[in-house]
Amino acid sequence: MTGEKDLGAFRALVLERGRELYRDLPWRRTSDPYEIWISEVMLQQTQTTRVDGRWQRWLERFPSAPVLAAAEPADVLEEWQGLGYNRRALALHRAAQAVAALGGELPSETAALEALPGVGPATAAGIRAFAFDLPSVYLETNVRTVLLHELFPDEERVSDRALAPILRATCPADASDPADDPRAWYYALLDYGAYLKRTVPNPSRRSAGHTRQSRFEGSHRQKRAELLRVLLAHRGEPDGVRLETICEEVASVEEKAGRRPISAPEVEALLDELSREGFCRPGDGAWHV
């Protein structure tokens, strides 16, 4: 691992760049654990410009974990539309129910956070750092970018196992210095990383875990998302929406995009898949969300 002296210089550099490049993002103006949690989930593989506005709207509709827990799953999915990865919306809903059952407040301990549906190590670390100002190992794309660019400039296939000890050694242990506490430290890493991704060939590609995101349009994931949008558009109909209607509307979308319409058996297979995951349910010859 990089020596103690080098890590000190690295910390000084990152904090300096963080002050120069600081982004005044709306979720940085709160330390409410629930609000931080929602921002962390929304920001996964999603640009900040897409999340700004949607985060505020979500909080207006679901201002707390108990309110989210009490909502209908269809309402949660409806509000999530356009943010991608619909499974995250269902996981948020299930996790909110778990939090509500515990009294309505998110825990601060890593193990308790990671026990919530959909909360992995990075999300738990982000909640700890940004909501509770507690030390954490917050490994996400921008943070990896800084570590790889500054400390591993000539290495390929660098594993998170090599990066995690550096974050443990450099993250402040407490919030005694507001200019250099866990929250400020990770803001600096995130902002410097965002800058590097705009200005140099993306160093995060040299991470052992880097994978190029697959094309969305025409993919299995796109067809699932389109099918869910059709179901949500008919959610107010008490008798549900029949398979024939679903097939017609999905076919129309595919044809407008210049793609081959998917067949009724393909639609049925996708509906069964979505049903098994809790997105919809069959009943009386129709489908309901």
Side-chain angles (χ1 to χ4, degrees), residues 94-228:
R94 290 194 292 267
Q97 291 174 330
V99 170
L102 295 172
E105 299 295 331
L106 262 76
S108 61
E109 301 82 6
T110 299
L113 286 166
E114 291 185 17
L116 297 172
V119 177
T123 302
I127 294 169
R128 278 176 57 83
F130 303 132
F132 299 105
D133 233 339
L134 292 171
S136 59
V137 176
Y138 183 53
L139 262 173
E140 64 84 69
T141 304
N142 285 351
V143 174
R144 284 189 189 91
T145 295
V146 175
L147 296 176
L148 292 167
H149 177 74
E150 292 292 342
L151 302 177
F152 299 85
D154 302 313
E155 296 186 36
E156 300 288 336
R157 304 292 296 168
V158 181
S159 70
D160 283 355
R161 185 175 296 180
L163 302 179
I166 297 172
L167 292 177
R168 290 192 188 95
T170 55
C171 182
D174 55 44
S176 58
D177 181 358
D180 185 15
D181 54 20
R183 182 171 172 139
W185 171 239
Y186 280 115
Y187 284 163
L189 280 167
L190 288 169
D191 293 345
Y192 185 26
Y195 168 79
L196 289 173
K197 286 169 71 174
R198 295 194 307 271
T199 56
V200 300
N202 191 352
S204 67
R205 293 175 184 168
R206 293 188 286 105
S207 165
H210 175 77
T211 56
R212 185 181 295 274
Q213 190 168 2
S214 60
R215 179 181 175 86
F216 177 72
E217 292 302 325
S219 67
H220 182 77
R221 189 160 61 91
Q222 178 264 323
K223 290 176 172 57
R224 282 170 50 102
E226 189 57 51
L227 197 52
L228 181 59

